[in-house]
């Protein structure tokens, strides 16, 4: 069984950033991930990652992987199925192998729930979107619709109402749920039409989305011309393989404190699978570096060393400088 000091679950921005900070300290580190990039693969036009003007999520993912590997970190594309405590750390079972580690960083992210209509994938990023806060700015002055549940739908409406010329809010229930004041703001906005007791039956268009067909509780259908449909049905976070070791909140997120500390002293976590607010790439990267450094410090303390206070050091002549 291969042994590493630190094993990281997930090669999204959180996991790769954690890996970079760990590997750069000459710690043996393995990232295990189902794929490279995670949700970044869903972003063809990335506008808000500081330091790069107009990139894509996939380019950023490849850059982060290259950067991580340049520090001699290792990566394997596989699925983590179980993490258990062992005598001197953890045993990690994947679909194809088993590994040992002294500390773990969890960065498994999440996957947005789909609506389940025909052609949904075909129109993805061509009118169909799953992250309003990420993609609303692409629809300045256009007609959009949002379908979803609870506060996700309310937030989607509020964000789009600042951009779109007209928007439809579609819900299965008879009333918008969520913060009363926010709901009132939406109800009073003349650009927003709230369509209750309805669901999206089908979508259509040419190279981009053009129409959605709604069906109400009586079975009547209605066609709307739209430039975009935002699907806000929450996301799936799968933590079955580790839920016996860390505290998870009612939303299914790993509870963390500063430095990515979980309820287990040797397990750290970062990114969208945690309780952090504003789930975005830059946030996942920052929190990934925090969790990576905390895992490194945990190992140093096991060895009786003080750990690091700065994130890198340089030797000039005979003197070591910490920055
Ligand atoms: C449609 C969409 C558009 C977005 N647009 C933007 C944007 O424009 N700007 C922005 O900043 N943010 C955007 N985001 C949000 C951003 O993508 C996420 O906040 C970010 O990717 C979270 O990073 P993460 O590393 O926590 O998780 P993820 O990116 O979800 O990566 C998690 C990784 O862990 C792997 N994994 C999960 N479970 C296991 C397991 N058991 N074993 C092995 N591997 C596992 C996954 O396969 C994946 O590779 C968007 C999100 C979506 C859905």
């Amino acid at each position: 069984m291969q042994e590493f000091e630190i094993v990281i679950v997930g090669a999204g921005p959180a996991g790769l950033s954690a890996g970079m900070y760990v590997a750069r300290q000459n710690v043996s580190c393995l990232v295990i991930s189902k794929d490279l990039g995670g949700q970044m693969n869903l972003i063809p036009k990335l506008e808000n990652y500081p330091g790069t003007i107009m990139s894509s999520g996939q380019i950023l993912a490849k850059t982060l992987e290259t950067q991580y590997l340049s520090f001699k970190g290792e990566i394997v594309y596989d699925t983590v199925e179980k993490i258990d405590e062992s005598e001197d750390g953890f045993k990690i079972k994947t679909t194809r192998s088993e590994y040992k580690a002294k500390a773990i960083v969890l960065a498994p992210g999440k996957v947005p729930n789909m609506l389940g209509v025909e052609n949904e994938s075909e129109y993805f990023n061509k009118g169909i979107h799953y992250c309003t806060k990420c993609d609303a700015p692409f629809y300045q002055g256009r007609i959009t619709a949002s379908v979803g549940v609870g506060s996700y739908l309310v937030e989607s409406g509020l964000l789009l109402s600042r951009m779109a010329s007209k928007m439809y809010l579609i819900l299965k229930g008879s009333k918008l749920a969520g913060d009363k004041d926010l709901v009132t703001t939406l109800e009073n906005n003349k650009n927003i039409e709230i369509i209750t007791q309805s669901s999206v039956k089908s979508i259509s268009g040419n190279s981009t989305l053009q129409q959605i067909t709604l069906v109400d509780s009586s079975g009547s259908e209605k066609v709307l011309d739209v430039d975009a449909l935002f699907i806000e049905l929450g996301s799936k976070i799968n933590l079955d393989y580790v839920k016996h070791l860390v505290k998870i909140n009612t939303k299914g997120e790993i509870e963390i404190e500063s430095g990515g500390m979980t309820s287990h002293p040797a397990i750290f976590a970062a990114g969208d699978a945690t309780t952090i607010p504003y789930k975005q790439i830059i946030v996942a990267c920052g929190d990934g570096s925090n969790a990576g450094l905390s895992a490194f410090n945990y190992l140093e303390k096991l060895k009786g060393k003080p750990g690091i206070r700065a994130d890198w050091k340089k030797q000039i002549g005979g003197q070591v400088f910490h920055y």
Side-chain angles (χ1 to χ4, degrees):
M1 199 185 304
Q2 260 190 297
E3 274 187 57
F4 293 85
E5 287 191 90
I6 297 178
V7 159
I8 297 170
V9 183
L16 290 170
S17 301
M20 217 181 292
Y21 274 74
V22 165
R24 199 157 178 266
Q25 298 297 335
N26 287 344
V27 170
S28 69
C29 173
L30 175 70
V31 170
I32 307 173
S33 190
K34 291 185 204 172
D35 61 12
L36 171 65
Q39 292 170 81
M40 288 195 288
N41 292 308
L42 307 177
I43 315 170
K45 215 166 148 190
L46 179 60
E47 287 191 330
N48 61 356
Y49 188 78
T52 60
I53 294 172
M54 277 321 297
S55 184
S56 76
Q58 268 178 334
I59 292 174
L60 181 60
K62 196 68 204 157
T63 310
L64 291 174
E65 186 201 38
T66 307
Q67 209 173 353
Y68 166 65
L69 294 173
S70 76
F71 298 125
K72 310 249 174 332
E74 293 186 39
I75 193 160
V76 59
Y77 289 101
D78 199 348
T79 300
V80 174
E81 292 182 343
K82 195 80 198 284
I83 300 178
D84 280 313
E85 285 176 312
S86 64
E87 252 170 52
D88 51 353
F90 299 94
K91 218 168 82 181
I92 301 105
K93 191 190 167 312
T94 67
T95 308
R96 293 199 298 271
S97 195
E98 279 191 352
Y99 303 92
K100 280 175 88 175
K102 293 195 175 66
I104 303 279
V105 175
L106 298 171
K110 60 187 172 101
V111 179
N113 290 323
M114 290 177 76
L115 187 58
V117 292
E118 214 182 317
N119 301 334
E120 189 171 341
S121 305
E122 193 188 313
Y123 286 110
F124 174 58
N125 278 325
K126 294 174 187 155
I128 291 289
H129 296 269
Y130 299 92
C131 178
T132 311
K133 71 171 172 288
C134 309
D135 296 341
F138 295 129
Y139 290 92
Q140 311 273 354
R142 315 275 294 277
I143 302 172
T144 68
S146 293
V147 60
V149 289
S151 53
Y152 296 113
L153 186 61
V154 171
E155 184 190 284
S156 182
L158 287 169
L159 291 171
L160 279 164
S161 66
R162 296 161 55 88
M163 318 272 170
S165 58
K166 160 97 189 160
M167 76 158 303
Y168 302 97
L169 271 182
I170 304 151
L171 62 148
K172 272 210 173 113
S174 53
K175 263 178 94 176
L176 282 171
D179 184 282
K180 232 176 151 190
D181 290 342
L182 297 181
V183 170
T184 309
T185 309
L186 284 177
E187 285 169 346
N188 292 337
N189 189 319
K190 289 196 173 55
N191 288 344
I192 300 179
E193 190 176 326
I194 300 170
I195 305 176
T196 59
Q197 295 181 306
S198 297
S199 49
V200 178
K201 189 186 169 206
S202 61
I203 59 176
S204 60
N206 290 323
S207 55
T208 57
L209 181 75
Q210 289 176 324
Q211 290 180 324
I212 58 173
T213 303
L214 307 185
V215 58
D216 70 16
S217 50
S218 70
S220 307
E221 293 189 5
K222 177 166 156 179
V223 177
L224 301 176
D225 291 331
V226 296
D227 297 308
L229 174 65
F230 285 81
I231 296 164
E232 287 289 352
L233 292 166
S235 307
K236 275 188 251 341
I237 304 177
N238 181 9
L239 297 168
D240 286 352
Y241 56 90
V242 74
K243 65 182 182 200
H244 53 296
L245 296 178
V246 291
K247 220 166 156 188
I248 292 168
N249 74 5
T250 50
K251 285 161 95 183
E253 301 164 331
I254 307 162
E255 289 191 6
I256 58 165
E257 287 174 25
S258 71
M261 246 111 35
T262 70
S263 54
H264 192 295
I267 303 181
F268 304 84
D272 280 17
T274 71
T275 44
I276 52 130
Y278 311 123
K279 292 173 166 73
Q280 292 280 278
I281 297 173
I282 184 71
V283 179
C285 288
D287 286 351
S289 69
N290 267 329
L293 287 174
S294 294
F296 171 73
N297 272 348
Y298 168 79
L299 294 181
E300 290 293 278
K301 278 175 193 148
L302 283 187
K303 294 173 198 157
K305 295 181 184 171
I308 46 164
R309 273 163 294 160
D311 63 347
W312 60 288
K313 61 184 181 181
K314 195 170 188 176
Q315 187 155 353
I316 302 172
Q319 223 181 331
V320 175
F321 292 89
H322 289 266
Y323 294 86

